[in-house]
């Protein structure tokens, strides 16, 4: 049976509700520490709060850039990313520009991600929004983001559809050992989480991390 110790360090404990309040962010941080999750994943406006709460503690602070559409300008994304890092963010989940991808404008798509990678120096997870892409577009997006220096390929924002085993397998096949794969969107159960890990994900974005830990605990009783 899979244990909490094996799965918890792969989880980005996520709260991306626009109306999230400070007490909820603090609770998220406390849960992440309690269960040993990899990060808390929150909007940029909450980064300073989370950084203060998690000071000298194991979980890192992850935030989202250009979220959820990816359709802001490159200059806006870069400013948002730099401000987040200045506020203490450890990881950046950046939504790619889907319009440029679908038009085949790989130059701007590459530059959009590469500028953030180079100027912030922090790990970037490129969000591909796989539910909206063809197979060829998934491959192209993955290759461009890898070349731009992304540390992770992330399946989804969760706003346009969720992670699938097939997409995780594809991204792992493309990325090999060069990159992490983050599955995100619709991960609600232990069964789903383990299927995605077995498919090749080494990070899971979910708001149900505590529920999944409870499932593990109950299964061990």
């Amino acid at each position: 049976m899979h244990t909490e110790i094996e799965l918890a360090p792969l989880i980005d404990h996520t709260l991306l509700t626009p109306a999230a309040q400070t007490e909820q962010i603090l609770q998220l941080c406390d849960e992440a520490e309690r269960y040993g999750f990899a990060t808390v994943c929150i909007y940029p406006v909450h980064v300073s709060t989370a950084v203060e709460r998690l000071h000298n503690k194991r979980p890192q602070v992850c935030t989202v850039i250009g979220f959820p559409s990816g359709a802001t300008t490159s200059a806006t994304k870069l400013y948002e990313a730099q401000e987040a890092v200045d506020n203490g963010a450890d990881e950046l989940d950046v939504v790619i520009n889907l319009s440029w991808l679908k038009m085949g404008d790989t130059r701007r798509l590459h530059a959009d991600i590469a500028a953030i990678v180079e100027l912030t120096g922090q790990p970037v997870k490129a969000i591909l929004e796989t539910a909206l892409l063809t197979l060829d577009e998934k491959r192209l997006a993955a290759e461009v983001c890898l070349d731009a220096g992304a540390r992770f390929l992330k399946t989804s924002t969760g706003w346009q559809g969720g992670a699938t085993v097939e997409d995780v397998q594809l991204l792992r096949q493309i990325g090999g050992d060069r990159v992490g794969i983050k599955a995100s969107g619709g991960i609600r159960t232990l069964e789903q989480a383990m299927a995605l890990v077995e498919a090749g994900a080494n990070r899971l974005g979910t708001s149900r991390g505590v529920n999944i830990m409870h499932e593990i605990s109950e299964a061990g009783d």
Side-chain angles (χ1 to χ4, degrees):
M1 178 63 203
H2 299 285
T3 69
E4 175 183 337
I5 295 174
E6 292 173 318
L7 192 58
L10 307 184
I11 290 177
D12 286 351
H13 193 32
T14 302
L15 181 58
L16 292 171
T17 303
Q21 299 173 50
T22 299
E23 283 304 315
Q24 293 171 283
I25 299 300
L26 295 176
Q27 179 180 340
L28 191 82
C29 293
D30 293 345
E31 290 169 347
E33 182 190 9
R34 182 181 312 127
Y35 291 102
F37 295 143
T39 75
V40 293
C41 186
I42 53 178
Y43 276 111
V45 70
H46 301 299
V47 166
S48 295
T49 298
V51 167
E52 182 177 355
R53 190 69 157 198
L54 290 171
H55 181 64
N56 286 334
K57 296 175 181 175
R58 177 179 174 181
Q60 302 285 287
V61 176
C62 171
T63 194
V64 289
I65 305 298
F67 193 90
S69 72
T72 50
T73 66
S74 293
T76 299
K77 284 183 186 174
L78 185 57
Y79 182 90
E80 187 178 29
Q82 188 61 63
E83 183 182 42
V85 171
D86 289 345
N87 288 337
D90 301 294
E91 298 182 0
L92 305 169
D93 286 19
V94 182
V95 188
I96 69 168
N97 189 304
L98 295 168
S99 175
W100 292 342
L101 173 64
K102 287 184 173 290
M103 290 191 297
D105 193 343
T106 55
R107 181 189 63 80
R108 284 199 290 181
L109 184 65
H110 182 282
D112 200 46
I113 299 298
I116 296 172
V117 170
E118 292 166 10
L119 294 180
T120 67
Q122 295 297 82
V124 167
K125 305 191 199 84
I127 306 177
L128 308 187
E129 204 68 288
T130 50
L132 301 182
L133 306 182
T134 66
L135 179 59
D136 286 344
E137 288 167 346
K138 292 171 191 177
R139 291 184 179 278
L140 179 61
E143 291 291 358
V144 170
C145 291
L146 284 172
D147 191 57
R151 297 270 194 93
F152 280 79
L153 300 174
K154 178 176 172 181
T155 59
S156 323
T157 62
W159 289 53
Q160 302 289 343
T164 68
V165 165
E166 292 75 18
D167 282 339
V168 169
Q169 289 173 332
L170 175 67
L171 296 179
R172 178 53 70 196
Q173 178 187 28
I174 295 167
D177 295 331
R178 295 180 291 164
V179 67
I181 305 298
K182 178 175 174 179
S184 185
I187 305 171
R188 298 182 176 89
T189 68
L190 175 60
E191 182 179 7
Q192 288 175 300
M194 293 313 308
L196 292 164
V197 170
E198 288 163 5
N202 57 340
R203 195 71 71 85
L204 303 172
T206 178
S207 61
R208 304 295 182 90
V210 172
N211 302 59
I212 291 170
M213 292 301 103
H214 288 168
E215 278 196 71
I216 293 171
S217 178
E218 290 167 3
D221 290 343

